[in-house]
Amino acid sequence: MRIRLCLAALSLLGGASVTTLAAPPAAAAACSDIDVVAARGTFEPGTLGFIVGDPVYSALQKKLTGKSLSSYKVNYPADLSLTSAAQGNADLVNHVKQQASACPNQRFVLVGYSQGANVVDNSIGISSQGAVVGSPIVATLPAAVEPKVAAVLLFGNPIRALGKSVTGTYQSRTIDFCAKGDPICENGGNDVGAHLGYTADADAAATFAAGKV
């Protein structure tokens, strides 16, 4: 029940039109120094995501003044359908592979909030199956691309409620925020509002990423 309330609260942020937002075309971005690839949360409005993606990108722009940045909004439904996270997983991996081929010197910062964290988890080889709005892995970033991923920024990550986290290759490049009481990422959490407060962590996440670039 608490999880349904939390997801409903996210849907209310953007009103009735949130689920009909037009998806961005899967076009390659210019060859910037850093491409910020953001997977928004369930029903989350905003260009990259009102709660996380947009404020994180803004913070990164301020901290990485000597580098050019581009952004990509992962093209997926971000709804409650069973295949939503899997679609995001496939699109994120496809985008990064295309960019890495077109722009050999480009590096990536991966950002995922709520269901978007499931998308990123799957893309780096950590299955979100069994988590809230999770899915089995359908694609992973290839080994040749892995060194190009400078940082992974996760917020309200549902796999944490299963006792899982990012381990292995990407662990040292990952920061994973879970607010106290957040029922999406904390098993037994009961503070729905905690899941909506990750804008406050945008600066800390950008500082972490800047240290990895």
Side-chain angles (χ1 to χ4, degrees), residues 71-107:
S71 65
Y72 179 77
K73 178 180 180 179
V74 174
N75 185 358
Y76 84 116
D79 60 18
L80 300 179
S81 61
L82 295 178
T83 62
S84 177
Q87 290 179 63
N89 174 194
D91 185 70
L92 186 154
V93 170
N94 183 56
H95 171 76
V96 172
K97 286 169 63 177
Q98 288 182 347
Q99 283 298 120
S101 177
C103 307
N105 296 321
Q106 191 172 63
R107 301 185 74 196

Side-chain angles (χ1 to χ4, degrees), residues 11-203:
S11 69
L12 290 174
L13 284 173
S17 65
V18 171
T19 56
T20 60
L21 289 175
C31 289
S32 61
D33 294 323
I34 306 294
D35 190 32
V36 180
V37 182
R40 69 199 189 281
T42 305
F43 301 132
E44 185 187 11
T47 303
L48 298 178
F50 175 77
I51 295 173
V52 167
D54 291 341
V56 166
Y57 187 72
S58 178
L60 282 168
Q61 286 179 308
K62 295 173 183 175
K63 293 183 184 298
L64 297 175
T65 54
K67 297 183 181 296
S68 59
L69 270 67
S70 58
S71 65
Y72 179 77
K73 178 180 180 179
V74 174
N75 185 358
Y76 84 116
D79 60 18
L80 300 179
S81 61
L82 295 178
T83 62
S84 177
Q87 290 179 63
N89 174 194
D91 185 70
L92 186 154
V93 170
N94 183 56
H95 171 76
V96 172
K97 286 169 63 177
Q98 288 182 347
Q99 283 298 120
S101 177
C103 307
N105 296 321
Q106 191 172 63
R107 301 185 74 196
F108 301 92
V109 173
L110 308 183
V111 182
Y113 166 51
S114 194
Q115 183 176 173
N118 286 336
V119 168
V120 175
D121 289 332
N122 282 9
S123 300
I124 60 175
I126 309 294
S127 177
S128 67
Q129 187 170 18
V132 176
V133 286
S135 79
I137 294 171
V138 296
T140 55
L141 295 174
V145 170
E146 172 267 314
K148 300 176 184 290
V149 178
V152 178
L153 313 179
L154 303 174
F155 305 78
N157 188 355
I159 69 169
R160 291 189 53 171
L162 302 178
K164 296 176 63 177
S165 61
V166 174
T167 56
T169 303
Y170 292 93
Q171 184 174 9
S172 65
R173 284 172 271 169
T174 298
I175 190 166
D176 191 342
F177 296 91
C178 180
K180 183 174 177 57
D182 181 347
I184 301 299
C185 60
E186 180 184 294
N187 187 21
N190 58 9
D191 183 358
V192 172
H195 192 63
L196 306 178
Y198 289 104
T199 301
D201 297 307
D203 190 73

